Amino acid sequence: MRLSMYLAGVGGQGLITFATVLGDAALRAGYKALIAETHGLSQRGGSVDVHVRIGDVDAPLIPRNGADVIVAFEILEALRAVNYANENTTFIVNRRLIRPPATKQRIPSIEELENMLRSSIKNVYFINAYEDAVKLGNVIYENMVMLGALYSIMNLSQYIPQDIIEEAIKMNIRRDVDRNIKAFMLGLRYGNTT
Amino acid sequence: MNNCIIKLMLGNHAIAHGVLEAGVAVAAGYPGTPSSEIMEYLIDYGKEFGVYAEWSSNEKVAFEVAYGAALAGSRAIVTMKHVGLNVAMDPLMSSAYTGVKGGFAIVTADDPNMWSSQNEQDNRWVGIHAYIPVFEPYDPQSAKDFTKNAIEFSEAHSHPVLLRSVTRVSHVRGPVTVCSPATPRYAEGYVKDPRRHALIPANARTLKNELLKRWSTIEKDVDQLPHNYIEGDRNLIITSGVAFTYALEAVKNYGVKASVLNVATPVPLPRKTILNAVSRADRVVVIEEGDPVVEQQLKALLYEEGIRVPILGKAENLFNRVGELTMNSVMDGLSKALDINNPLLSNHPIKVDYAPPPRPPVFCPGCPHTASFYELKISTAKAGVKPIFSGDIGCYSLGINNPFNEQDTLTDMGSSLGLGMGVYHGTRGKEVIVSIIGDSTFFHAGLPALVNAIYNKTPMLIMVLDNRVTAMTGGQPNPTNKIDIGEVAKSLGADYVSTVDPFEVKKAQEVISEALNVVRKGGVAVVVMKRGCALEATRLFRNYVTRYYVDENACKACGICYNLIACPALIPLESRKAWIDPYMCVGCSVCAQVCPYNAIKPEGDVKNWLSAWARM
């Protein structure tokens, strides 16, 4: 088994925590996991990406056009991530637009961006992670909603039982464990409908 | 192997855990991406096992702290990023002459692709330059293992060793077998040995000969280390470091038929191991991240041995010298070298007819640097001066961007002062110099430069952005927490010294204006902009945080706040009025002070919050 999952978002959206929970859960379930991240100056509110690879893997980076799934925490970043996609790649996209600072350019609306993605990508799912997280009281739960969506849409339960994910959330996110698990649960429903 | 478990671990934490398992007693470092998490781990977890771990004021000092401990006989480690090693080069070169008594590993984390650096120098060259062997891990597990090997090898040969990591080892998480830390090995005492430890010329000449003798033993003994060899075809791929992982995937998943030899030590090369592998090969491909360090040594080695076999690598431009390796760049090179198809090219790309605008990193919401750059801009404009903004290494290098454009030069730690002085004298004093430097960078390399400015009477404004932490690398503590920068500048005899809070927008502008007057009269002025890093403040005083909102009726859509402050929490609406994202705003109050219409209002107890924040 080999799964390459490319995460794209904006610095501060919790991509590294997402990847750590997922990678730790995979390892607990008996799979090798590799996560490649960037720290330092590159993370201050700029575009960030994290490569998560699970199973029979050696190299830390996903090849171009080589991701099985792209999890975009922000919709413009989903468009930037297409370099990692091929025609079979599944896109899981947060319906959230974060305006890039210091640009005078007109940014298309979420609906327009959604249509662009739908017209060129076969398997694309849109997630209201921002709304779900705000309902739970804070936008910081967005990442666990996205994790739930990934888990159900990609059918990851065939490799990682759900209680192991919950355990990994407990072990890796020290604060507000209950609400983070709730956020994960909320995300699960996105796999049931298209 | 007592009590070992497998854990998902960051490469840098794996190095740090290797340090603990190796019984290292003294650890010192200076933060720098991608190395910082090694010392953070040792400071957090090493202390309970009796390890002495410190953040030093710069890499040279850190090096000497660890080196001195190793001279005494303690096991020691020093950590830094690749460019930090330049700062430590002076003691590094000497350490090969004196040798060490306790195992001593010098960890350099290189940053190919310059994710967070000013260059991508390959520090394996330093090993050749200094006669110091280099160990190069390829993943988190090998990072731990090689760290232990390196420290043991060092002690066995009474010689320092380098451990070269790169971003894609240091910042990769993977499974690591973690075992119990060993008891730290401190020295019993310091046995005086000036003939060896005091490098007066007479001693150094003798020691150079001894060094060469040790080096030839080291050249033989690196063959005993665990290098990886995977038997395959008569094509041989030789790798070092992270390149090994790409070569493994090339062989396993992409149809490349080859044997693979990964050398644990790119410097010096394990000669027997290599000759053995090459004797079974018709051609050799060398893959390594950075410069052709292995490739060039390999060519010399095979020439010496009279072996003529094609060696393909960076000399043929098969693999990139700029940036990091990727699966694609490795497969591109291998398919050309071995004349095979590249299966990665058969993936069908996806086309989307829209390219989103770039999203470069920006100052965080509430970052005090934003306020400082704004105030500096306004004050210099009011004074009618167009200064050279001599910048430095830190988060504030982002001041290069719109709307600030206040980083004209920026080359290395502390360069803001030195280059500024040079520009002043090189233009016969025509330019007004403003040097902008952070607190940690000030103590790192700014201090001797400030001494120079005062001693040589070079007029300049030195603006120290004192945000109380080494922010860019993750908020490490530094000497500013104990030593007042303003007091230091006063005692050195600066003509003007003032400390001001950049969140007091008007007052800060007045102080900068006063300082500029002093500079115009030929003085050295130091302004310390003192306000804690917003990321750290919101973490430390989470319960106090309040925020601001825009009163829609009062906002006149002038754009001053979002155009001149450019805080990411300030968002222009379609109406050109401002909106504050409540999940981003951290209540710094700066935009409210700048708004000419009092349209930006607090939501909670701002005074209380800002005074809690000021405790940093």
Side-chain angles (χ1 to χ4, degrees):
Chain A
M1 190 275 280
R2 185 164 59 242
L3 259 181
S4 291
M5 301 180 263
Y6 182 79
L7 318 182
V10 178
Q13 281 195 292
L15 275 73
I16 289 180
T17 306
F18 176 110
T20 306
V21 169
L22 180 57
D24 188 30
L27 189 62
R28 285 166 194 272
Y31 295 95
K32 184 176 177 180
L34 288 175
I35 300 166
E37 30 192 88
T38 45
H39 301 203
L41 187 60
S42 51
Q43 72 182 11
R44 301 277 182 259
S47 302
V48 288
D49 66 1
V50 177
H51 300 240
V52 182
R53 309 194 69 210
I54 286 171
D56 180 21
V57 293
D58 296 290
L61 299 181
I62 299 168
R64 260 193 327 269
N65 314 121
D68 298 299
V69 54
I70 288 177
V71 183
F73 288 59
E74 196 273 348
I75 194 160
L76 291 171
E77 298 308 318
L79 285 149
R80 221 189 295 283
V82 292
N83 285 340
Y84 283 91
N86 59 56
E87 54 190 357
N88 297 316
T89 303
T90 301
F91 276 71
I92 300 172
V93 183
N94 187 7
R95 253 194 202 100
R96 183 177 180 196
L97 176 72
I98 303 175
R99 217 191 134 74
T103 178
K104 301 268 183 240
Q105 215 173 309
R106 183 193 167 265
I107 307 290
S109 68
I110 292 188
E111 292 70 30
E112 288 171 283
L113 293 164
E114 199 174 316
N115 287 335
M116 286 181 208
L117 285 164
R118 280 194 199 282
S119 66
S120 42
I121 295 155
K122 202 166 53 181
N123 310 312
V124 57
Y125 296 79
F126 290 93
I127 311 301
N128 295 321
Y130 181 81
E131 263 173 44
D132 291 348
V134 170
K135 261 182 227 155
L136 286 172
N138 199 315
V139 62
I140 59 166
Y141 305 118
E142 222 180 16
N143 60 350
M144 288 300 110
V145 177
M146 293 301 287
L147 183 63
L150 169 77
Y151 185 80
S152 59
I153 291 167
M154 295 304 288
N155 215 354
L156 293 186
S157 59
Q158 60 186 311
Y159 312 115
I160 310 169
Q162 194 173 318
D163 58 313
I164 291 193
I165 296 263
E166 287 174 29
E167 194 187 330
I169 293 175
K170 267 179 217 152
M171 299 307 289
N172 292 284
I173 308 180
R174 268 155 267 154
R175 221 177 308 115
D176 297 331
V177 172
D178 290 347
R179 266 189 283 183
N180 276 295
I181 290 177
K182 246 185 219 165
F184 170 77
M185 300 290 202
L186 268 179
L188 290 177
R189 73 183 192 278
Y190 293 99
N192 303 328
T193 52
T194 309
Chain B
M1 297 287 269
N2 49 342
N3 301 328
C4 298
I5 51 160
I6 297 176
K7 271 176 79 172
L8 186 75
M9 242 184 170
L10 191 68
N12 274 344
H13 292 163
I15 291 174
H17 203 86
V19 166
L20 297 181
E21 287 182 25
V24 163
V26 174
Y30 185 80
T33 311
S35 73
S36 311
E37 297 82 4
I38 305 170
M39 278 304 300
E40 284 183 338
Y41 188 96
L42 291 172
I43 288 171
D44 286 351
Y45 302 108
K47 281 184 180 168
E48 62 183 288
F49 301 106
V51 175
Y52 175 78
E54 71 166 42
W55 284 123
S56 309
S57 50
N58 70 25
E59 293 87 354
K60 175 185 185 291
V61 174
F63 189 105
E64 287 158 348
V65 168
Y67 175 27
L71 281 181
S74 158
R75 287 195 167 181
I77 186 172
V78 60
T79 74
M80 62 199 75
K81 70 183 292 172
H82 58 329
V83 286
L85 200 66
N86 303 335
V87 178
M89 275 303 280
D90 202 349
L92 181 142
M93 295 304 289
S94 295
S95 70
Y97 280 62
T98 62
V100 287
K101 201 166 157 192
F104 177 34
I106 306 152
V107 181
T108 166
D110 295 4
D111 188 17
N113 209 43
M114 299 167 270
W115 293 103
S116 197
S117 303
Q118 66 268 40
N119 78 24
E120 55 178 1
Q121 69 189 54
D122 185 333
N123 275 348
R124 294 175 303 167
W125 294 121
V126 172
I128 297 176
H129 183 33
Y131 298 98
I132 293 179
V134 182
F135 287 64
E136 187 175 22
Y138 52 86
D139 69 358
Q141 178 67 55
S142 66
K144 194 200 87 169
D145 297 340
F146 286 18
T147 302
K148 287 172 78 178
N149 293 341
I151 290 161
E152 275 152 22
F153 190 89
S154 166
E155 191 157 299
H157 293 82
S158 307
H159 199 77
V161 297
L162 265 160
L163 184 84
R164 185 227 192 189
S165 182
V166 294
T167 297
R168 296 309 183 178
V169 172
S170 280
H171 286 168
V172 164
R173 279 172 223 269
V176 177
T177 304
V178 180
C179 308
S180 312
T183 308
R185 296 211 204 169
Y186 283 96
E188 295 282 326
Y190 177 75
V191 181
K192 289 188 184 189
D193 189 3
R195 195 198 59 80
R196 174 164 295 281
H197 292 175
L199 292 180
I200 56 166
N203 288 345
R205 282 183 206 115
T206 314
L207 290 170
K208 174 76 188 279
N209 287 304
E210 283 187 30
L211 161 60
L212 293 177
K213 225 182 270 169
R214 272 205 306 279
W215 187 246
S216 69
T217 311
I218 287 168
E219 282 186 313
K220 283 186 203 94
D221 290 355
V222 289
D223 263 313
Q224 312 305 320
L225 291 164
H227 308 283
N228 311 75
Y229 181 69
I230 296 149
E231 179 84 50
D233 203 72
R234 289 192 67 83
N235 297 313
L236 172 65
I237 302 172
I238 297 183
T239 61
S240 174
V242 72
F244 180 45
T245 67
Y246 297 110
L248 281 178
E249 292 223 2
V251 171
K252 284 190 198 170
N253 306 328
Y254 300 118
V256 171
K257 292 197 168 55
S259 302
V260 181
L261 170 65
N262 180 62
V263 295
T265 51
V267 179
L269 289 182
R271 296 170 75 103
K272 273 191 190 158
T273 309
I274 285 189
L275 292 174
N276 194 9
V278 170
S279 71
R280 280 173 272 171
D282 298 330
R283 61 183 152 183
V284 180
V285 185
V286 183
I287 317 177
E288 53 196 317
E289 195 158 90
D291 294 331
V293 175
V294 168
E295 188 177 319
Q296 291 185 6
Q297 292 178 89
L298 179 68
K299 284 177 178 169
L301 167 64
L302 296 187
Y303 184 84
E304 274 172 38
E305 298 290 330
I307 297 169
R308 296 277 314 178
V309 55
I311 297 169
L312 304 167
K314 303 214 180 202
E316 289 73 25
N317 287 320
L318 291 172
F319 302 99
N320 49 307
R321 285 184 195 227
V322 180
E324 59 188 5
L325 295 174
T326 61
M327 198 65 244
N328 295 88
S329 71
V330 167
M331 279 309 298
D332 283 347
L334 277 174
S335 56
K336 282 177 200 148
L338 304 177
D339 199 21
I340 53 169
N341 281 333
N342 179 358
L344 285 177
L345 297 178
S346 60
N347 281 341
H348 289 284
I350 285 183
K351 276 196 194 114
V352 184
D353 296 328
Y354 174 72
R359 192 192 301 275
V362 289
F363 289 121
C364 302
C367 175
H369 300 337
T370 312
S372 297
F373 278 114
Y374 168 80
E375 289 146 7
L376 178 61
K377 186 151 212 162
I378 301 288
S379 300
T380 50
K382 275 187 186 159
V385 291
K386 285 190 177 152
I388 303 301
F389 296 108
S390 192
D392 224 305
I393 307 285
C395 289
Y396 44 90
S397 62
L398 293 171
I400 195 171
N401 294 327
N402 280 330
F404 309 110
N405 306 304
E406 288 168 282
Q407 296 276 286
D408 296 320
T409 60
L410 190 175
T411 59
D412 59 278
M413 292 285 285
S415 69
S416 58
L417 281 87
L419 289 186
M421 289 178 238
V423 170
Y424 177 83
H425 292 296
T427 58
R428 291 179 182 248
K430 278 199 188 106
E431 302 290 357
V432 174
I433 305 299
V434 177
S435 295
I436 301 154
I437 187 167
D439 43 41
S440 192
T441 311
F442 173 80
F443 284 108
H444 175 284
L447 199 46
L450 177 60
V451 168
N452 189 60
I454 293 166
Y455 169 61
N456 283 311
K457 294 191 171 55
T458 305
M460 61 200 299
L461 166 59
I462 295 143
M463 197 164 100
V464 185
L465 305 183
D466 183 1
N467 66 356
R468 321 298 299 147
V469 289
T470 312
M472 191 165 82
T473 48
Q476 294 80 9
N478 76 60
T480 194
N481 307 125
K482 289 213 173 136
I483 304 166
D484 186 284
I485 295 172
E487 293 301 322
V488 170
K490 270 183 213 161
S491 68
L492 291 175
D495 300 297
Y496 176 91
V497 180
S498 183
T499 298
V500 66
D501 179 357
F503 286 179
E504 293 183 33
V505 176
K506 234 178 120 185
K507 193 174 162 202
Q509 289 178 38
E510 285 163 14
V511 166
I512 298 170
S513 301
E514 276 173 27
L516 283 168
N517 278 334
V518 172
V519 175
R520 284 204 279 201
K521 287 179 196 144
V524 175
V526 177
V527 173
V528 182
M529 306 294 266
K530 187 174 170 186
R531 174 54 73 164
C533 168
L535 282 181
E536 293 300 310
T538 48
R539 198 174 54 78
L540 287 170
F541 310 110
R542 170 177 304 275
N543 300 328
Y544 292 84
V545 181
T546 60
R547 50 181 166 252
Y548 282 77
Y549 69 97
V550 178
D551 177 346
E552 228 182 303
N553 299 321
C555 178
K556 305 280 183 231
C558 70
I560 286 178
C561 61
Y562 52 76
N563 285 325
L564 297 185
I565 307 284
C567 171
L570 280 167
I571 303 197
L573 299 172
E574 296 272 327
S575 62
R576 307 302 293 159
K577 288 190 179 187
W579 175 70
I580 291 176
D581 184 335
Y583 288 108
M584 287 185 130
C585 176
V586 299
C588 75
S589 83
V590 171
C591 61
Q593 294 179 54
V594 167
C595 176
Y597 305 105
N598 284 324
I600 301 177
K601 293 168 181 165
E603 251 174 27
D605 190 345
V606 177
K607 256 194 180 164
N608 198 28
W609 159 224
L610 289 175
S611 63
W613 186 340
R615 290 206 295 268
M616 269 182 76

